Amino acid sequence: MEKAKAMLADGLQVQEIAASLGYEDRPYFSELFKKHTGLTPTEYRNKKVISSSLHSRNVLLPSRGFRPIIESVAGRPSG
């Protein structure tokens, strides 16, 4: 599953990853991935993309909620 995570982060399609790792059935691969990580492959990729995007913009994640992130990205003061 670590290889699958890396491939997702590189932008490969779930079907391609499943096949390259020997899973002929994409839904079965997705089920196993979710059992291992707690996220579907697509959810994992989306989480990584958002996290990478925020990290590259030096936006710190607050401990709770999304409003401070949106305000800091938009350039508005939070609070």
Side-chain angles (χ1 to χ4, degrees), residues 5-67:
K5 288 180 191 180
M7 295 169 86
L8 285 165
D10 288 341
L12 274 71
Q13 295 294 315
V14 176
Q15 183 69 34
E16 295 172 306
I17 295 168
S20 72
L21 296 177
Y23 296 94
E24 293 181 22
D25 186 38
R26 187 207 46 81
Y28 178 67
F29 166 75
S30 294
E31 180 182 325
L32 291 177
F33 188 91
K34 184 166 184 172
K35 282 183 182 179
H36 182 75
T37 65
L39 300 168
T40 67
T42 302
E43 291 169 340
Y44 181 85
R45 178 179 32 237
N46 291 342
K47 182 179 175 185
K48 281 293 188 185
V49 168
I50 290 170
S51 175
S52 295
S53 175
L54 291 175
H55 180 68
S56 68
R57 292 183 184 151
N58 295 321
V59 175
L60 299 176
L61 296 174
S63 59
R64 301 183 236 167
F66 294 100
R67 190 173 199 174

